[in-house]
mmCIF file of all heavy atoms in Angstrom:
data_model
loop_
_atom_site.group_PDB
_atom_site.id
_atom_site.type_symbol
_atom_site.label_atom_id
_atom_site.label_comp_id
_atom_site.label_asym_id
_atom_site.label_seq_id
_atom_site.Cartn_x
_atom_site.Cartn_y
_atom_site.Cartn_z
ATOM 1 N N TYR A 121 79.091 10.728 -9.313
ATOM 2 C CA TYR A 121 80.373 11.186 -9.848
ATOM 3 C C TYR A 121 80.586 12.653 -9.996
ATOM 4 O O TYR A 121 81.639 13.174 -10.354
ATOM 5 C CB TYR A 121 80.750 10.461 -11.150
ATOM 6 C CG TYR A 121 81.229 9.028 -11.004
ATOM 7 C CD1 TYR A 121 81.557 8.278 -12.103
ATOM 8 C CD2 TYR A 121 81.391 8.486 -9.686
ATOM 9 C CE1 TYR A 121 81.910 6.930 -11.976
ATOM 10 C CE2 TYR A 121 81.826 7.192 -9.532
ATOM 11 C CZ TYR A 121 82.187 6.365 -10.683
ATOM 12 O OH TYR A 121 82.577 5.114 -10.440
ATOM 13 N N GLY A 122 79.462 13.451 -9.756
ATOM 14 C CA GLY A 122 79.616 14.887 -9.515
ATOM 15 C C GLY A 122 79.811 15.807 -10.705
ATOM 16 O O GLY A 122 80.155 16.997 -10.528
ATOM 17 N N TRP A 123 79.521 15.220 -11.935
ATOM 18 C CA TRP A 123 79.689 16.168 -13.058
ATOM 19 C C TRP A 123 78.550 17.193 -13.140
ATOM 20 O O TRP A 123 77.383 16.858 -12.866
ATOM 21 C CB TRP A 123 79.696 15.366 -14.427
ATOM 22 C CG TRP A 123 80.491 16.037 -15.495
ATOM 23 C CD1 TRP A 123 79.976 16.978 -16.369
ATOM 24 C CD2 TRP A 123 81.891 15.813 -15.789
ATOM 25 N NE1 TRP A 123 81.056 17.378 -17.171
ATOM 26 C CE2 TRP A 123 82.140 16.662 -16.871
ATOM 27 C CE3 TRP A 123 82.923 14.858 -15.297
ATOM 28 C CZ2 TRP A 123 83.399 16.661 -17.398
ATOM 29 C CZ3 TRP A 123 84.098 14.908 -15.887
ATOM 30 C CH2 TRP A 123 84.356 15.799 -16.930
ATOM 31 N N PRO A 124 78.886 18.444 -13.354
ATOM 32 C CA PRO A 124 77.822 19.492 -13.315
ATOM 33 C C PRO A 124 76.697 19.133 -14.369
ATOM 34 O O PRO A 124 77.028 18.779 -15.509
ATOM 35 C CB PRO A 124 78.513 20.776 -13.671
ATOM 36 C CG PRO A 124 79.960 20.500 -13.374
ATOM 37 C CD PRO A 124 80.189 19.075 -13.553
ATOM 38 N N LEU A 125 75.490 19.342 -13.946
ATOM 39 C CA LEU A 125 74.339 18.947 -14.791
ATOM 40 C C LEU A 125 74.351 19.574 -16.142
ATOM 41 O O LEU A 125 74.200 18.858 -17.197
ATOM 42 C CB LEU A 125 72.978 19.333 -14.040
ATOM 43 C CG LEU A 125 71.716 18.976 -14.830
ATOM 44 C CD1 LEU A 125 71.608 17.481 -14.997
ATOM 45 C CD2 LEU A 125 70.514 19.533 -14.156
ATOM 46 N N ASP A 126 74.618 20.937 -16.236
ATOM 47 C CA ASP A 126 74.538 21.521 -17.594
ATOM 48 C C ASP A 126 75.562 20.909 -18.560
ATOM 49 O O ASP A 126 75.258 20.710 -19.701
ATOM 50 C CB ASP A 126 74.878 23.056 -17.447
ATOM 51 C CG ASP A 126 73.689 23.799 -16.879
ATOM 52 O OD1 ASP A 126 72.619 23.114 -16.697
ATOM 53 O OD2 ASP A 126 73.743 25.022 -16.766
ATOM 54 N N ASP A 127 76.756 20.649 -18.106
ATOM 55 C CA ASP A 127 77.721 20.068 -18.984
ATOM 56 C C ASP A 127 77.554 18.612 -19.250
ATOM 57 O O ASP A 127 77.907 18.096 -20.362
ATOM 58 C CB ASP A 127 79.178 20.350 -18.511
ATOM 59 C CG ASP A 127 80.211 20.109 -19.600
ATOM 60 O OD1 ASP A 127 80.051 20.713 -20.672
ATOM 61 O OD2 ASP A 127 81.163 19.325 -19.371
ATOM 62 N N ALA A 128 76.975 17.898 -18.310
ATOM 63 C CA ALA A 128 76.627 16.506 -18.502
ATOM 64 C C ALA A 128 75.592 16.432 -19.553
ATOM 65 O O ALA A 128 75.692 15.540 -20.410
ATOM 66 C CB ALA A 128 76.151 15.834 -17.184
ATOM 67 N N VAL A 129 74.695 17.347 -19.559
ATOM 68 C CA VAL A 129 73.629 17.320 -20.673
ATOM 69 C C VAL A 129 74.247 17.707 -22.024
ATOM 70 O O VAL A 129 73.942 17.065 -23.015
ATOM 71 C CB VAL A 129 72.509 18.372 -20.199
ATOM 72 C CG1 VAL A 129 71.645 18.649 -21.401
ATOM 73 C CG2 VAL A 129 71.696 17.741 -19.182
ATOM 74 N N ALA A 130 75.144 18.729 -22.057
ATOM 75 C CA ALA A 130 75.718 19.195 -23.190
ATOM 76 C C ALA A 130 76.524 18.040 -23.881
ATOM 77 O O ALA A 130 76.457 17.842 -25.033
ATOM 78 C CB ALA A 130 76.639 20.384 -22.999
ATOM 79 N N ALA A 131 77.352 17.287 -23.044
ATOM 80 C CA ALA A 131 78.176 16.302 -23.487
ATOM 81 C C ALA A 131 77.332 15.228 -24.057
ATOM 82 O O ALA A 131 77.597 14.609 -25.141
ATOM 83 C CB ALA A 131 79.019 15.728 -22.383
ATOM 84 N N ALA A 132 76.218 14.858 -23.389
ATOM 85 C CA ALA A 132 75.327 13.756 -23.884
ATOM 86 C C ALA A 132 74.650 14.142 -25.238
ATOM 87 O O ALA A 132 74.788 13.412 -26.229
ATOM 88 C CB ALA A 132 74.234 13.548 -22.712
#
Side-chain angles (χ1 to χ4, degrees):
Y121 281 180
W123 208 275
L125 179 65
D126 284 0
D127 195 52
V129 166

